[in-house]
């Protein structure tokens, strides 16, 4: 049986990822392959590292992508620093906190958790009190929780960790490139970013960064593969357990990304091209301009949703600007609404997980998807679909409110967007 | 600091991977993104599974890519079936055998090895005798060993494993799509393919397949993430240890690739597009035609190299058709030759690892790189560069011999290529 070539529908993607990719990034992926040790390619790798440092706002030596989807970055950092029995504290305020627990448990950590209701975040002092009680080796937390649309303030927690010599690991998959992430200023030791969200690069890479506090652990657990090890490498005896995963062993990955260029995997050439172009577009736009753009479109979206009479979900003081959670009106089948949006309007929005499944829709405004035409498209279509589902929305006001918001913001001289 | 857009040199890539990618595959990667649960996308995922089954020559239900480079496929299968203390037998005849050992050890296996000199392979009976002695739970072996350019016969070993209810895991990263790989006929329980070699898809995915013998183990170790688990999932108690890795947990991956579509990672959209097009091109060409094409160009390459007076490395009865190893003439700096080929002719060939480093060059003839123009380019350039390095080669004969080979083969009516 032979299949035909790809013939995909054109979608407006307003989910919390994967989101639309800038055509310039898509084109970069068509660039012919280079060998992995071709100087022309290793130069591209080095440029990616430098651009990642800028986006992560760090002076760390190590900033490179793991060749896997976002969660591979979490696993790479966590499995490289966790030894069996290590205490890890994970404050959970949504699905991806549970994922951190799951990974830590699998690598033998003694995991302590702290939970708050989905839709809220933690007062930093609450986490710090628990840190004092548990005295963990590691605190791992999500920065932007897409499942609930919340953002956790990190600066105070990071400072408290550093004062106690605790490692602070942050999952910034959903926030990087969309809202402020200050790796060094917030005392983050290991940070994981995502590509397919606010960076608007296809899924398949997880850019990470870590500092010398983590590198010290890597040195103690270092191993070189026998097939390529020198005599000296083989004499090298580890003072601690080797890392359980070969693929995620950061001590090997940094020997591949560093000047020794010691062969590990074969770097994912086309994805590196995409990441190179994606990071370049972020830096050309400017970090602050990009954050402002995400907030501008969030404002217009919220104005439209509220004008329609819909209610937002969650603690508004800690809303993640690039994900807007909307309560599904009573008696409405949320999946039916999503299906009609996709089938009739070719627009995709998301549902949620666990306790929020069937309760909220999530509308993403991330990266290249975060454009005026998309905001207006989703508002117009949602109104029509809700009317079709018998919901008593306020008619005709959503688009007016959004357009007003764009006009007001323009008049106030705020955030002139470069990308939309 | 801002970098300029990608501006890569045009290379003729004659290494054992990553190799040149068909322009149709590169173009497919520019296709705009779809959401991961968009029916238009899950349909593409299903087509990829079906095409993988055909390329793997299997009726297995499960055939899908791991989102990582080739070795991620090895790690996914091995970590999903190995429990601490399990006995694994790994016959090693090159670098990638050592990699299998390395992965098994990290996941707590009791690894037994068997080694033969690099450049040779094992007589099946030697491996079978060791199987009887060790009685392992798993035999893991490389099919095509790129580090030495050898191919290991597998059918008898597979049969012996099945008779003893031993799991047979094969790394076919370098052979799949270039030479015959008969998953079912050879009694292979778990098989790993590579994308960036004979399939000529960019690096970054590892297509795998496994049968119900492996699936039985997965069911016993199954786990569903708390953030998305149903009540029923949580009541589910495992009879055995959970798999150490979350990212590589095949029990979760098959719930994502199967009808339940349970969210795990976000599938790497653009890489799936590339794999879809790459597999399509393999099947359009036809498996047998493709294998014939690889042998045709290998023959021409060898004729040229020998006409130049160079010597091939390794046991010729078990040569891997898509990798040709050439002995570096005495007194020649192999790296200097490679550098001149790249700098002056924009042609890349490879060195090797471990005991063979500095002893041989490796010339790949894989997938889209396996074309007449490339064979002729590498022969002509190599002759010139060797002369420039003071090597006393037979002048002017290499290209004539290769052209003769193409002519003879054509006249004999063999292997008319579709792709070059």
């Amino acid at each position: 049986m032979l299949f035909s070539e790809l013939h995909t529908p054109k979608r407006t993607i307003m989910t919390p990822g994967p989101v639309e990719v800038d055509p310039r990034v898509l084109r970069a992926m068509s660039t012919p392959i280079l060998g992995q040790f071709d100087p022309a390619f290793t130069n591209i790798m080095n440029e990616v590292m430098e651009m990642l440092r800028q986006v992560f706002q760090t002076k760390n030596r190590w900033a490179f992508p793991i060749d896997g989807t976002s969660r591979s970055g979490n696993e790479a950092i966590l499995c490289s620093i966790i030894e069996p029995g290590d205490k890890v504290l994970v404050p959970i305020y949504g699905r991806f906190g549970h994922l951190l627990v799951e990974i830590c448990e699998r690598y033998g950590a003694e995991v302590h958790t702290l939970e708050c209701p989905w839709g809220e975040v933690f007062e930093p002092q609450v986490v710090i009190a628990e840190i004092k009680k548990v005295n963990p080796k590691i605190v791992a937390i999500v920065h932007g929780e897409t499942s609930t649309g919340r953002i956790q303030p990190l600066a105070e927690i990071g400072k408290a960790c550093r004062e106690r010599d605790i490692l602070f690991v942050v999952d910034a998959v959903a926030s990087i490139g969309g809202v402020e992430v200050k790796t060094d200023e917030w005392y983050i030791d290991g940070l994981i970013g995502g590509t397919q969200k606010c960076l608007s690069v296809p899924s398949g890479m997880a850019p990470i960064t870590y500092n010398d506090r983590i590198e010290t652990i890597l040195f103690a657990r270092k191993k070189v593969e026998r097939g390529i090890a020198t005599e000296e490498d083989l004499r090298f005896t580890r003072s601690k357990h080797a890392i359980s995963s070969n693929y995620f062993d950061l001590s090997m990955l940094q020997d591949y990304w560093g000047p020794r260029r010691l062969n590990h995997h074969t770097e994912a050439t086309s994805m590196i091209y995409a990441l190179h172009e994606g990071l370049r577009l972020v830096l050309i736009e400017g970090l602050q301009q990009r954050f402002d753009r995400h907030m501008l479109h969030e404002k217009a979206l919220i104005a439209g949703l509220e004008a329609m009479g819909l209610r937002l979900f969650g603690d508004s003081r800690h809303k993640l600007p690039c994900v807007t959670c909307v309560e599904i009106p009573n008696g409405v089948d949320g999946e039916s609404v999503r299906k009609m949006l996709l089938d009739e309007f070719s627009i995709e929005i998301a549902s949620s997980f666990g306790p929020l499944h069937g309760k909220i829709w999530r509308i993403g405004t991330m990266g290249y998807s975060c454009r005026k035409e998309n905001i207006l498209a989703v508002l117009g279509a949602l109104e029509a679909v809700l009317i079709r589902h018998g919901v008593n929305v306020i008619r005709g006001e959503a688009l007016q409110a959004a357009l007003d918001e764009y006009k007001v913001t323009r008049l106030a001289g705020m955030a002139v967007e470069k990308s939309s």
Side-chain angles (χ1 to χ4, degrees), chain A:
Chain A
M1 176 166 54
L2 288 177
F3 296 108
S4 56
E5 62 183 332
L6 290 175
H7 181 203
T8 55
K10 191 180 170 307
R11 300 293 197 209
T12 299
I13 308 184
M14 301 302 281
T15 68
V19 303
E20 297 174 31
V21 172
D22 191 299
R24 290 168 286 184
V25 173
L26 292 176
R27 281 202 306 272
M29 298 189 85
S30 301
T31 308
I33 296 297
L34 289 170
Q36 62 174 329
F37 295 116
D38 189 323
F41 187 68
T42 51
N43 183 49
I44 292 169
M45 291 170 72
N46 288 340
E47 290 186 358
V48 164
M49 289 179 81
E50 178 50 34
M51 288 192 284
L52 279 177
R53 284 184 203 105
Q54 293 180 42
V55 171
F56 286 147
Q57 303 192 43
T58 183
K59 293 194 163 34
N60 286 344
R61 177 172 184 201
W62 299 113
F64 55 81
I66 303 297
D67 285 0
T69 65
S70 304
R71 61 173 59 200
S72 74
N74 290 329
E75 188 156 333
I77 289 192
L78 290 170
C79 83
S80 291
I81 59 175
I82 291 174
E83 294 192 63
D86 281 348
K87 275 197 269 189
V88 184
L89 175 65
V90 183
I92 302 169
Y93 62 104
R95 175 187 169 192
F96 292 99
H98 284 293
L99 174 60
L100 294 175
V101 172
E102 154 98 16
I103 295 170
C104 293
E105 280 178 352
R106 288 186 186 232
Y107 284 94
E110 178 189 318
V111 182
H112 296 253
T113 61
L114 198 60
E115 295 198 44
C116 74
W118 288 32
E120 299 177 12
V121 300
F122 293 95
E123 282 302 321
Q125 287 311 321
V126 172
V127 176
I128 292 166
E130 193 71 13
I131 289 172
K132 288 180 185 163
K133 210 173 87 186
V134 174
N135 191 28
K137 171 176 164 183
I138 300 158
V139 172
I141 195 166
V142 173
H143 183 217
E145 177 61 79
T146 51
S147 65
T148 65
R150 295 311 109 184
I151 186 164
Q152 171 68 49
L154 297 177
E156 289 173 67
I157 301 173
K159 189 154 180 284
C161 285
R162 187 65 56 92
E163 284 166 1
R164 286 164 186 79
D165 200 24
I166 293 166
L167 293 171
F168 190 40
V169 174
V170 172
D171 170 346
V173 166
S175 50
I176 198 77
V179 301
E180 194 82 85
V181 177
K182 296 186 169 183
T183 304
D184 292 354
E185 203 177 308
W186 296 346
Y187 301 101
I188 297 169
D189 297 297
L191 182 115
I192 303 100
T195 54
Q196 81 280 14
K197 298 181 188 279
C198 297
L199 291 183
S200 273
V201 166
S203 175
M205 285 204 149
I208 63 167
T209 186
Y210 54 89
N211 60 18
D212 51 359
R213 285 158 49 87
I214 284 186
E215 198 177 2
T216 304
I217 297 178
L218 302 181
F219 279 133
R221 306 180 77 182
K222 193 176 164 64
K223 204 176 170 210
V224 176
E225 281 174 34
R226 199 156 315 188
I228 54 168
T230 61
E231 293 286 318
E232 196 189 328
D233 288 326
L234 292 174
R235 273 199 302 273
F236 195 94
T237 41
R238 292 185 305 281
S239 57
K240 297 202 172 193
H241 288 287
I243 293 160
S244 297
S245 171
N246 168 285
Y247 194 71
F248 294 134
D249 183 333
L250 292 180
S251 76
M252 287 174 147
L253 285 164
Q254 69 178 38
D255 272 347
Y256 177 60
W257 279 87
R260 196 173 172 193
R261 293 279 172 217
L262 202 53
N263 189 227
H264 179 254
H265 60 285
T266 297
E267 190 51 33
T269 327
S270 306
M271 285 299 301
I272 285 288
Y273 293 166
L275 184 57
H276 186 279
E277 185 63 8
L279 292 170
R280 226 172 63 80
L281 296 181
V282 170
L283 295 175
I284 287 172
E285 182 175 3
L287 286 180
Q288 191 55 54
Q289 288 277 0
R290 196 172 176 94
F291 302 152
D292 289 347
R293 170 164 65 87
H294 279 85
M295 283 192 288
L296 166 68
H297 292 295
E298 178 204 28
K299 239 174 143 174
L301 176 65
I302 290 177
L305 293 168
E306 291 184 335
M308 215 187 295
L310 294 173
R311 285 175 52 184
L312 300 191
F313 165 81
D315 176 358
S316 62
R317 292 166 308 155
H318 299 289
K319 183 183 174 302
L320 181 61
C322 52
V323 181
T324 298
C325 297
V326 186
E327 292 183 6
I328 299 174
N330 271 338
V332 173
D333 175 354
E335 288 308 287
S336 169
V337 168
R338 291 208 313 124
K339 188 170 184 318
M340 191 168 173
L341 277 172
L342 191 72
D343 292 348
E344 306 296 335
F345 295 86
S346 214
I347 294 174
E348 192 185 14
I349 67 170
S351 56
S352 191
F353 307 100
L356 295 179
H357 189 75
K359 300 275 200 310
I360 62 169
W361 294 301
R362 297 177 304 144
I363 302 176
T365 45
M366 291 178 157
Y368 186 67
S369 278
C370 183
R371 306 195 307 280
K372 190 197 289 184
E373 73 215 57
N374 280 13
I375 302 293
L376 299 178
V378 77
L379 285 171
L382 184 60
E383 178 177 325
V385 171
L386 289 177
I387 290 172
R388 209 73 178 177
H389 276 76
V391 182
N392 190 18
V393 295
I394 301 167
R395 299 184 179 209
E397 292 301 326
L399 288 174
Q400 299 306 319
L403 287 168
D404 284 346
E405 194 60 58
Y406 284 119
K407 201 172 160 193
V408 169
T409 315
R410 280 270 153 63
L411 289 177
M414 260 184 67
V416 181
E417 323 135 60
K418 280 188 180 172
S419 284
S420 68

